[in-house]
Amino acid sequence: MIFKVEPLEKGDIDVIHAISLEILKNIGVKFDHEQSLRILEEHGSEVDWKSRTVKFDPDYVEYMIKKVPSSFSMHARDPKKDLELRENSVFFATANAIFVMENGKLRDLRRDDLINYIRLADALNEIHICVGANFYEAPKKLWDLYEFEIMLLNTSKHLRPVVGTPYGPKAVIEMAARVVGDYEQLRKRPILSMGYAADAPLRWSSTALKVFMESAKYNIPVNVESEPITGATSPITLAGTLALANAEVLSGIVFNQMLKEGRPTVYSIGFSHTMDMKTAACLSATPECFLIMAAGAQIARYYNIPSLSWVTCDSKIVDLQSACEKAMGYTINVLSGNNIIWGAGSMEAQASISFEQMIIDSEIIGYLERIMKGIDVNDEMLALDIIKDVGVGGNYLSKIKSLTFTRKYYLKEHAQPKIFDRKVRIQWEKEEIKDIIHKAKEKVREILKEHQPATLDPEIQKDLRKIIEKYKRKIV
């Protein structure tokens, strides 16, 4: 794909970069973890142990961000589903949430919901990465272990667990190692990526730093994320928010490169929000959010680092607003060049998921994937011999040569929707289900009835449960 949405001029990025470096040098970032502070100090950073604030030398920051690889592999349990993250690659993922939107009502995300969400993602070709979520029944001190078990059992795609308990980082990695064989195999083929967002403004929590440190031992790809809210945890101006968010991400990238030089890293300020100052609502699908997402992709390219973003909506139900906001969000993210885009099924400013919205999202993604492929121009595709054969005023449906050519290329050239309507009116009027939301609901039922993910060996399943039980005993 050769076209890009770029809201920033080259000089704008230079200025944002310079202000971010000034923030890191003169204001600093809080690292709320003693071992992390020691590592930072050992690498020459200026550490104020009382406030736990770290200041960075700008030259050192620029030196360290150049260590990040511009491309790398994101492996999966099924090697056929491995992903090669490169400059122009775009991959789509599910999303984190704590609620489910069902029949227009909001309720807690439960275990069966997460299982079905991951199974749907496993079945949909448009989804490449599965993101975890905290389900209601999971024990609060080990919820991320139970989440990851469900992910491992219900998809063979690349995994991005959401980790948030003290034992979570270590235990999740132990479970992944058991699935691939051992820790050495995991180091060679990490089937998961991990990550965390800074606590804006300018703070890294102990949980985030533990995730970074534990996963660095095995060269697991890491997402370094900033998630500011304009006017609340960052300046109201977009430029100020970009400078702050960029400083947060750069500090996290530098720390991760201290842990393991050359570690695969993904840059993200695409989780940012705006605040509605009239209602205090945190919003995720405003034009300003889209601009920040696009600028984030542009800044990441400036550093030659892959980028990550999130598409959701502010609508509370699956409706025209959710479809419009998701379509705009996906389109802006794709055209801006973000490499990983979360959000399949995500709704209500990232708080909830909807299975029906997930199906609609996959349809939107399918259209965009076709657009990303562009137009092949070569002798065969120009079809001059077919044009000559049909001639002036002819019919491309009446010539054998043309029909053979159409049969060969129709499905290759033209995207085929799963639920979007393309029927002529007389056919459409005969259908019992005409509404897209009900079509999506039927598609969900069909997939969950028919699709079975690749199973794990029963012994591995038992061992995963043993790992969870081991950490349960540690808590007791």
Side-chain angles (χ1 to χ4, degrees):
M1 187 177 63
I2 59 173
F3 43 99
K4 289 278 193 293
V5 172
E6 295 189 330
L8 300 172
E9 300 289 340
K10 170 63 166 62
D12 296 336
I13 305 178
D14 291 334
V15 172
I16 290 167
H17 174 66
I19 296 300
S20 296
L21 292 180
E22 186 173 333
I23 292 169
L24 293 174
K25 179 183 178 181
N26 297 321
I27 300 173
V29 178
K30 183 175 182 178
F31 283 72
D32 201 9
H33 185 244
E34 189 170 324
Q35 188 179 352
S36 300
L37 291 170
R38 286 199 298 269
I39 292 169
L40 287 154
E41 192 171 60
E42 288 167 4
H43 282 79
S45 300
E46 180 185 332
V47 176
D48 182 328
W49 283 89
K50 185 177 181 180
S51 66
R52 298 196 165 195
T53 300
V54 180
K55 294 180 179 178
F56 295 84
D57 175 67
D59 291 336
Y60 185 71
V61 172
E62 292 185 326
Y63 170 76
M64 290 300 278
I65 59 179
K66 290 176 182 176
K67 302 290 184 182
V68 179
S70 60
S71 61
F72 53 87
S73 298
M74 298 175 68
H75 298 285
R77 179 155 64 89
D78 180 355
K80 294 176 183 177
K81 298 175 183 176
D82 286 356
L83 309 173
E84 297 299 322
L85 198 59
R86 296 193 174 96
E87 181 182 358
N88 290 319
S89 58
V90 182
F91 300 114
F92 298 90
T94 59
N96 180 27
I98 56 174
F99 300 112
V100 169
M101 175 59 59
E102 185 178 55
N103 298 323
K105 303 291 184 181
L106 196 68
R107 61 172 177 79
D108 291 321
L109 179 76
R110 296 188 175 274
R111 183 177 184 276
D112 287 346
D113 298 320
L114 182 57
I115 291 171
N116 289 337
Y117 189 42
I118 300 300
R119 284 181 61 208
L120 284 169
D122 189 66
L124 292 168
N125 293 329
E126 295 83 5
I127 309 301
H128 309 100
I129 301 167
C130 290
V131 179
N134 182 356
F135 64 94
Y136 180 75
E137 306 99 318
K140 300 310 175 189
K141 294 183 179 180
L142 291 175
W143 63 262
D144 37 13
L145 280 68
Y146 288 89
E147 162 215 80
F148 194 53
E149 180 187 35
I150 286 173
M151 297 172 74
L152 288 167
L153 293 175
N154 289 282
T155 185
S156 55
K157 294 181 178 181
H158 184 79
L159 304 174
R160 171 51 169 90
V162 176
V163 178
T165 68
Y167 287 116
K170 187 173 184 179
V172 160
I173 292 168
E174 185 176 346
M175 293 166 76
R178 178 63 189 93
V179 168
V180 299
D182 54 34
Y183 285 107
E184 189 55 37
Q185 289 301 314
L186 182 66
R187 191 175 281 107
K188 291 176 182 176
R189 280 185 49 83
I191 61 171
L192 76 164
S193 50
M194 300 180 77
Y196 222 88
D199 291 339
L202 301 170
R203 292 174 295 177
W204 286 107
S205 68
S206 60
T207 302
L209 297 167
K210 288 175 185 176
V211 169
F212 292 159
M213 292 176 67
E214 195 65 38
S215 56
K217 300 173 187 176
Y218 307 99
N219 206 35
I220 292 170
V222 63
N223 304 157
V224 182
E225 305 152 8
S226 174
E227 194 172 356
I229 306 168
T230 61
T233 61
S234 70
I236 195 66
T237 58
L238 302 194
T241 293
L242 289 172
L244 176 74
N246 187 51
E248 291 175 344
V249 174
L250 290 182
S251 69
I253 289 174
V254 169
F255 179 68
N256 273 282
Q257 294 305 306
M258 288 178 180
L259 296 173
K260 188 174 192 317
E261 197 169 294
R263 181 180 190 185
T265 304
V266 179
Y267 175 108
S268 177
I269 60 175
F271 291 9
S272 301
H273 311 270
T274 60
M275 175 170 277
D276 187 334
M277 290 299 173
K278 294 176 288 187
T279 64
C282 177
L283 306 172
S284 298
T286 64
E288 296 76 26
C289 288
F290 298 152
L291 283 167
I292 294 170
M293 293 170 187
Q298 202 176 348
I299 295 169
R301 281 196 298 279
Y302 177 83
Y303 298 128
N304 204 25
I305 300 173
S307 59
L308 163 67
S309 192
W310 189 332
V311 174
T312 185
C313 62
D314 293 322
S315 179
K316 312 304 180 287
I317 58 173
V318 182
D319 60 3
L320 284 172
Q321 179 181 335
S322 69
C324 289
E325 289 175 338
K326 297 301 288 283
M328 286 189 288
Y330 276 120
T331 301
I332 292 294
N333 272 280
V334 166
L335 298 186
S336 65
N338 271 305
N339 301 108
I340 301 173
I341 304 171
W342 286 22
S346 180
M347 297 193 66
E348 201 169 346
Q350 306 175 359
S352 66
I353 55 171
S354 158
F355 297 159
E356 292 76 29
Q357 186 65 54
M358 186 181 192
I359 299 298
I360 296 170
D361 289 350
S362 72
E363 200 83 309
I364 295 167
I365 292 167
Y367 273 47
L368 288 168
E369 286 181 327
R370 175 61 191 95
I371 292 168
M372 284 188 285
K373 288 179 181 177
I375 299 172
D376 289 334
V377 179
N378 55 49
D379 287 346
E380 185 167 6
M381 303 304 265
L382 286 166
L384 181 57
D385 58 331
I386 304 297
I387 295 169
K388 286 179 180 177
D389 187 54
V390 173
V392 177
N395 187 324
Y396 285 81
L397 294 172
S398 63
K399 294 281 188 175
I400 294 297
K401 191 172 184 179
S402 172
L403 286 171
T404 302
F405 187 76
T406 297
R407 182 187 292 273
K408 181 178 180 181
Y409 284 111
Y410 176 61
L411 294 179
K412 294 178 182 179
E413 285 277 287
H414 298 266
Q416 303 300 307
K418 291 186 284 289
I419 60 169
F420 284 1
D421 174 64
R422 288 184 175 179
K423 295 180 176 67
V424 296
R425 173 166 286 275
I426 192 170
Q427 293 175 320
W428 175 78
E429 287 177 341
K430 293 177 182 178
E431 286 192 340
E432 291 183 13
I433 301 175
K434 297 182 175 68
D435 180 79
I436 192 171
I437 298 172
H438 289 92
K439 286 184 179 180
K441 193 183 292 288
E442 286 300 310
K443 194 68 180 176
V444 169
R445 291 196 189 103
E446 176 189 318
I447 292 173
L448 293 179
K449 180 180 178 181
E450 297 178 358
H451 178 73
Q452 294 298 324
T455 57
L456 275 175
D457 182 280
E459 288 303 313
I460 294 176
Q461 294 185 41
K462 290 179 184 177
D463 289 345
L464 292 177
R465 181 51 55 154
K466 287 178 183 177
I467 292 169
I468 294 174
E469 294 300 321
K470 178 177 73 174
Y471 284 96
K472 280 176 69 175
R473 290 194 295 273
K474 287 178 181 287
I475 289 175
V476 173

